[in-house]
Amino acid sequence: VYKRQPLHIASFIVHARPEQLDAVLANLRLLDDLEVHQHSPEGKAVVVIEAVDEQLILQRIDQVNALPGVLNAALIYHECLSPQGAAQ
């Protein structure tokens, strides 16, 4: 019997140096499980991730913080959707 795993949805703000924003956005788009929803010329971007493991979310935030041009990436929202509550 296949058991579905919980789905973790999280969003975080990435603050980058404005002059390096294009390079930061390009690097973010290389990560399969991340989606950039909005960004501003001031160097801020809203990123969403979906994962089956909350550890992956923390690893991605660490990876994003290590990207050249990134000043900070901070978690702003996290929700865990239970497979029991999801539609079959």
Side-chain angles (χ1 to χ4, degrees), residues 1-81:
V1 176
Y2 173 72
K3 182 180 175 188
R4 293 174 31 186
Q5 296 181 335
L7 177 65
H8 294 268
I9 300 171
S11 62
F12 51 98
I13 297 290
V14 177
H15 187 193
R17 295 185 184 282
E19 67 275 9
Q20 293 180 298
L21 181 61
D22 289 340
V24 169
L25 292 173
N27 282 325
L28 291 172
R29 290 184 178 116
L30 292 175
L31 299 171
D32 290 335
D33 46 9
L34 294 185
E35 187 174 329
V36 177
H37 277 274
Q38 294 288 329
H39 60 87
S40 70
E42 292 81 21
K44 294 181 182 160
V46 176
V47 178
V48 173
I49 181 173
E50 293 183 3
V52 294
D53 183 334
E54 56 197 8
Q55 270 308 113
L56 177 61
I57 295 168
L58 297 174
Q59 289 171 353
R60 284 291 187 250
I61 290 173
D62 287 344
Q63 285 178 318
V64 170
N65 269 315
L67 291 174
V70 171
L71 299 171
N72 187 40
L75 181 70
I76 58 168
Y77 176 81
H78 174 243
E79 180 175 358
C80 180
L81 301 176

